Amino acid sequence: MNRHRMNRHRMNWHLSTAQAIGYADGSLPETDCWSVEKHLESCTECAGHVSAAVAAGPAAPVLAEVRSAVLDGAGARGRPAAVGRFARTARTARTAWAAGPALRRGWLLAMVSAAALAVGLARLAGIDGARPLLLAIAPVLPVLGVALSYGRHTDPLHELAASTPGGGLRLLLLRTGAVLGFTVPLLSLTALLLPSVAGGPAFAAWLLPGLALTLAALALGSYTGCWTGSAVVGAGWLLVVGTKFFAPAGPGHPARSPAGQLADVLSGLLGGPAAQGGWAAAAAVCTVLLAVRRTSFDYVERV
């Protein structure tokens, strides 16, 4: 009961007047400032107190000039509704900035083009290996998105983002969610539209492996950085698929077309209760490891 009350107290605490004034004038200790900034992300009441403290401090004239210039530039002076629209636009822009490199225009166009090409080859050119080929690369496409989501190699504002209270793993998971939110529906719909190959896995068989590989890239990235971790996981998956595809067929196995052979390989890697259970276990292990290593993203990408 005491622990429950303590948790409720942590969730419901608010800034005192002295803390708001200290944060506004810069006299609050740095560690307390981090706690305040984290709290202000979810507490409108305290954000209003801090805004009032800033408006009453020495920075008030400068802020008034900035606000006046912004409203004049937007043509919104004397129109409160326009101010509300400006605030909503600012919140939308902040969310888009948080998604950041995860939704690069080039990567989005490449994903859509690849999906359209696969459907065109299957439906117009009559190529029966489009679905196995798509399912072979689908699990690592979200991993590629993870590589583009976080880190000094891909994000020019990484140092700034990582230094904020909402940086680190939280920002990385937000960007990874943006990647998965785009790739999962697109690739699943594309695979559903492609003709199946006898003996091949179902169109949705890649989902759990894709999740497991994404979590593996995140977990490995906690040691090596997202770019390196994603590259190792993606290359490892393609190496496994390629090794099994080019392995000589055993005696008693009839020769199949390349599309059928790739479908057989993917059935062993993706389809069936045993394979799916293995991927589920791998995803659970990677999730636990990621939770244990959650603070490593605060510094691993800075070296």
Side-chain angles (χ1 to χ4, degrees):
M1 179 65 70
N2 291 335
R3 181 178 298 178
H4 178 68
R5 291 177 178 176
M6 291 176 62
N7 291 336
R8 290 188 60 186
H9 175 71
R10 292 192 186 100
M11 294 174 59
N12 298 327
W13 73 280
H14 293 287
L15 299 180
S16 65
T17 302
Q19 287 175 316
I21 295 176
Y23 179 78
D25 61 19
S27 62
L28 199 66
E30 183 178 359
T31 54
D32 293 339
C33 286
W34 279 67
S35 298
V36 170
E37 291 173 359
K38 190 70 175 179
H39 178 69
L40 293 179
E41 292 181 358
S42 58
C43 184
T44 306
E45 180 180 350
C46 290
H49 292 330
V50 171
S51 297
V54 172
V62 177
L63 293 176
E65 292 179 5
V66 172
R67 180 178 183 276
S68 177
V70 170
L71 293 179
D72 286 343
R77 180 178 294 277
R79 293 186 292 170
V83 177
R85 289 194 297 271
F86 178 80
R88 290 192 295 270
T89 303
R91 287 194 296 268
T92 303
R94 184 175 63 180
T95 302
W97 176 83
L103 298 179
R104 292 178 183 270
R105 181 182 301 175
W107 182 75
L108 293 176
L109 291 177
M111 291 286 294
V112 173
S113 299
L117 179 62
V119 175
L121 290 175
R123 295 297 180 180
L124 300 179
I127 298 177
D128 59 355
R131 179 189 276 194
L133 182 59
L134 179 66
L135 293 180
I137 63 174
V140 295
L141 290 179
V143 175
L144 176 61
V146 171
L148 298 174
S149 295
Y150 194 80
R152 57 191 175 91
H153 297 290
T154 58
D155 188 356
L157 297 178
H158 172 69
E159 293 292 338
L160 177 62
S163 64
T164 64
L169 181 60
R170 178 181 178 183
L171 182 60
L172 175 57
L173 291 178
L174 176 63
R175 292 178 174 178
T176 302
V179 169
L180 293 175
F182 179 79
T183 55
V184 168
L186 176 65
L187 296 179
S188 298
L189 179 61
T190 303
L192 180 62
L193 295 176
L194 299 178
S196 61
V197 176
F203 75 93
W206 74 275
L207 293 176
L208 190 54
L211 175 62
L213 292 178
T214 300
L215 292 172
L218 293 176
L220 183 58
S222 68
Y223 294 95
T224 63
C226 288
W227 180 259
T228 303
S230 299
V232 170
V233 170
W237 166 256
L238 295 178
L239 180 62
V240 170
V241 174
T243 301
K244 288 184 172 294
F245 178 78
F246 290 106
H253 291 80
R256 297 192 65 185
S257 65
Q261 186 176 350
L262 181 58
D264 291 340
V265 170
L266 295 177
S267 294
L269 293 175
L270 305 179
Q276 290 289 309
W279 287 113
V285 171
C286 292
T287 300
V288 173
L289 180 59
L290 189 61
V292 172
R293 296 277 302 168
R294 62 186 180 277
T295 59
S296 64
F297 291 96
D298 296 334
Y299 59 85
V300 68
E301 291 283 355
R302 301 183 187 181
V303 295

